[in-house]
């Protein structure tokens, strides 16, 4: 089943509501009283909506392969819950939920039985619930569905703004920027009663974030003297750049020896950068940094599972966004939809061990030698360049595929792309790119001409 972006929006809304109901029910049974445990005032818990939408985006083609569907559901649930928990912990210096006293738990973020529930939920949602749900939603008149969608979107965004502003106000973290000053003035004019109501609800639902507790006992942070110390934002940006360049070189050499030809493996139109490897290095570093002292076997298993899912997700995203796939493993044994295969999953596990145990300390030491001021300036220059590079590459790739059916430019942008990134140049950058044929199979572009 192919889900449109409109389908994903309604899946997000419905599962956010279902997740909110489940959370409220669980807390009512435990605390013997009704408590809105959601971050928003609306009866929505967005984290469950994100999980539901991720099921549809990444796992829909696994609906006939129950084991992989279950496994994918556990990985999706694990990543969304852990990433959300880490972000909240970084922002507020305290966990919003903590299962550290439970058996078989992971860093207090979730337990083994919850992980199993995410896997079961993926099977139930993809196989049974979603077809019925979307059929019911699309029974609404098209215009009414559009109006409801826009209205819900506006209400949710407004609620998110109020809740974030309120929580920041609780901890005296409201930015001095003009945007937040204006936002605070707006909330004051709208009525302090609303802010106080949200504060009371937040404190009741999540006692850990109540004012005074979250920063109690915390010492004044000393000013950092080493650039990108630890595994924070600046370190991950530079690890991304290193991984992108090293990955592109490694794949180019690999193709030279296995296919006896030099072939571009770059993901972008400017520079030797493999985005999959770049994000992969940052992804594995962020997740496995705190386990760098664990055994090689532990890191290998984590790298095998997380790397395999990561590569699978990248393949799905490139197909959904650009209508193109850049690799196809359908001829390799033990593959899953041609997107990943068991052998390369093991390669991810080996790469994780080599990266965390050997390469990461080496590259990390290099990065931390960069002067503080120069490092920050260079980081933002790199971010700006790579953002523009990825945006132009995405547009060029979209136009590259669009020229199959619409060879003549319709506007100035398409004319610019046709001149700067013609078919000859794009075929040189993306020699293995495949697009969907009329029969639904993936074919090389020159085979479709």
């Amino acid at each position: 089943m192919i889900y449109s972006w409109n389908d994903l929006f309604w899946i997000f809304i419905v599962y956010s509501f279902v997740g909110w109901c489940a959370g409220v029910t669980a807390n009512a049974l435990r605390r013997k009283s009704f408590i809105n445990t959601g971050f928003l005032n609306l009866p929505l818990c967005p984290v469950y909506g994100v999980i539901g939408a991720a099921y549809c985006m990444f796992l829909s083609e696994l609906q006939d392969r129950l084991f992989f569907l279950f496994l994918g559901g556990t990985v999706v649930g694990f990543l969304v819950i852990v990433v959300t928990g880490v972000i909240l912990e970084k922002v507020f210096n305290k966990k919003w939920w903590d299962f550290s006293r439970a058996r078989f738990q992971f860093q207090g973020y979730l337990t083994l039985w919850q992980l199993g529930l995410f896997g079961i939920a993926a099977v139930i949602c993809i196989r049974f619930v979603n077809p019925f749900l979307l059929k019911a939603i699309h029974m609404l008149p098209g215009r009414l569905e559009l109006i409801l969608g826009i209205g819900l979107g506006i209400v949710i965004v407004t609620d998110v703004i109020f809740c974030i502003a309120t929580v920041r106000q609780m901890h005296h973290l409201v930015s001095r920027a003009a945007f937040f000053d204006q936002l605070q003035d707006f909330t004051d004019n709208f009525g302090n009663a609303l802010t106080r109501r949200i504060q009371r609800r937040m404190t009741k639902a999540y006692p850990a974030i109540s004012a005074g507790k979250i920063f109690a006992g915390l010492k004044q942070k000393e000013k950092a003297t080493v650039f990108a110390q630890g595994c924070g934002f600046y370190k991950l940006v530079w690890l991304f750049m290193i991984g992108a360049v090293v990955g592109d070189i490694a794949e180019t050499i690999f193709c030279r020896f296995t296919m006896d030809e030099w072939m571009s493996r770059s993901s972008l139109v400017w520079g030797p950068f493999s985005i999959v490897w770049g994000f992969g290095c940052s992804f594995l570093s962020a997740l496995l940094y705190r386990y760098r002292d664990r055994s090689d076997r532990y890191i290998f298993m984590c790298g095998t599972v997380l790397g395999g899912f990561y590569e699978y997700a990248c393949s799905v995203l490139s197909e959904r966004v650009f209508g193109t796939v850049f690799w196809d493993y359908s001829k390799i044994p033990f593959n899953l939809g041609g997107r990943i295969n068991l052998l390369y999953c093991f390669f991810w596990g080996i790469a994780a061990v080599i990266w965390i145990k050997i390469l990461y300390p080496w590259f990390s030491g290099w990065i931390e030698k960069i002067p503080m001021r120069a490092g920050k300036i260079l980081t933002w220059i790199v971010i700006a360049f790579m953002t523009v590079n990825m945006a132009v590459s995405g547009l060029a790739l979209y136009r590259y595929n669009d020229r199959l059916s619409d060879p003549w430019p319709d506007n100035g942008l398409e004319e610019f792309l046709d001149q700067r990134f013609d078919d000859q140049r794009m075929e040189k950058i993306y020699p293995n790119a495949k697009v969907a044929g009329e029969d639904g199979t993936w074919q090389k572009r020159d085979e479709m001409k």
Side-chain angles (χ1 to χ4, degrees), residues 18-130:
V18 172
W20 178 87
C21 292
V24 168
T25 302
N27 276 277
L29 295 175
R30 184 169 64 251
R31 303 186 189 183
K32 308 301 182 184
S33 62
F34 172 84
I35 298 176
N36 180 3
T37 57
F39 179 79
L40 304 179
N41 293 296
L42 295 170
L44 299 174
C45 190
V47 67
Y48 294 107
V50 171
I51 291 174
Y55 286 164
C56 300
M57 178 172 288
F58 299 116
L59 307 179
S60 59
E61 60 188 41
L62 302 177
Q63 60 181 351
D64 296 326
R65 310 183 74 169
L66 295 185
F67 172 76
F68 291 104
L69 181 57
F70 173 85
L71 182 62
T74 62
V75 175
V76 168
F78 171 82
L79 290 176
V80 174
I81 294 296
V82 171
V83 169
T84 302
V86 169
I87 291 175
L88 292 174
E89 184 177 351
K90 291 294 184 182
V91 172
F92 299 106
N93 294 308
K94 197 171 182 69
K95 290 183 178 179
W96 283 43
W97 61 86
D98 190 359
F99 299 108
S100 56
R101 295 183 180 180
R103 295 184 63 186
F104 307 112
Q105 50 82 28
F106 179 81
Q107 297 295 318
Y109 294 118
L110 78 171
T111 62
L112 183 61
W113 73 268
Q114 290 172 325
L115 209 58
L117 286 179
F118 284 126
I120 295 172
V123 174
I124 295 174
C125 292
I126 297 297
R127 290 290 299 271
F128 306 107
V129 177
N130 288 355

Side-chain angles (χ1 to χ4, degrees), residues 153-273:
I154 294 173
V155 172
I156 291 172
V157 170
T158 303
D159 196 8
V160 169
I161 292 174
F162 272 114
C163 290
I164 291 176
T166 300
V167 174
R168 291 174 68 90
Q169 184 187 48
M170 289 170 65
H171 305 294
H172 308 288
L173 294 176
V174 179
S175 170
R176 295 180 181 179
F179 170 77
F180 285 107
D181 289 338
Q182 294 174 2
L183 179 61
Q184 187 59 48
D185 292 338
F186 174 72
T187 57
D188 288 339
N189 294 331
F190 186 81
N192 284 327
L194 177 60
T195 300
R196 288 194 298 271
R197 177 186 177 280
I198 298 176
Q199 289 178 355
R200 288 195 300 269
R201 184 182 65 78
M202 288 282 188
T203 302
K204 190 175 181 181
Y206 301 100
I209 68 167
S210 59
K213 286 186 179 181
I214 203 162
F215 297 116
L218 293 179
K219 297 180 180 179
Q220 185 76 20
K221 289 186 178 180
E222 296 181 1
K223 189 175 181 179
T225 57
V226 178
F227 173 68
Q229 194 168 12
C231 191
F233 171 75
Y234 290 106
K235 179 67 67 62
L236 293 176
V237 171
W238 285 101
L239 291 177
F240 164 81
M241 293 298 297
I242 292 171
V245 173
V246 172
D248 181 82
I249 294 173
E251 286 205 20
T252 300
I253 295 175
F254 179 78
C255 290
R256 175 66 181 84
F257 283 98
T258 57
M259 303 180 184
D260 198 29
E261 64 175 313
W262 293 106
M263 180 187 299
S264 170
R265 302 302 296 166
S266 177
S267 306
L268 304 178
V269 294
W270 295 323
F273 304 111

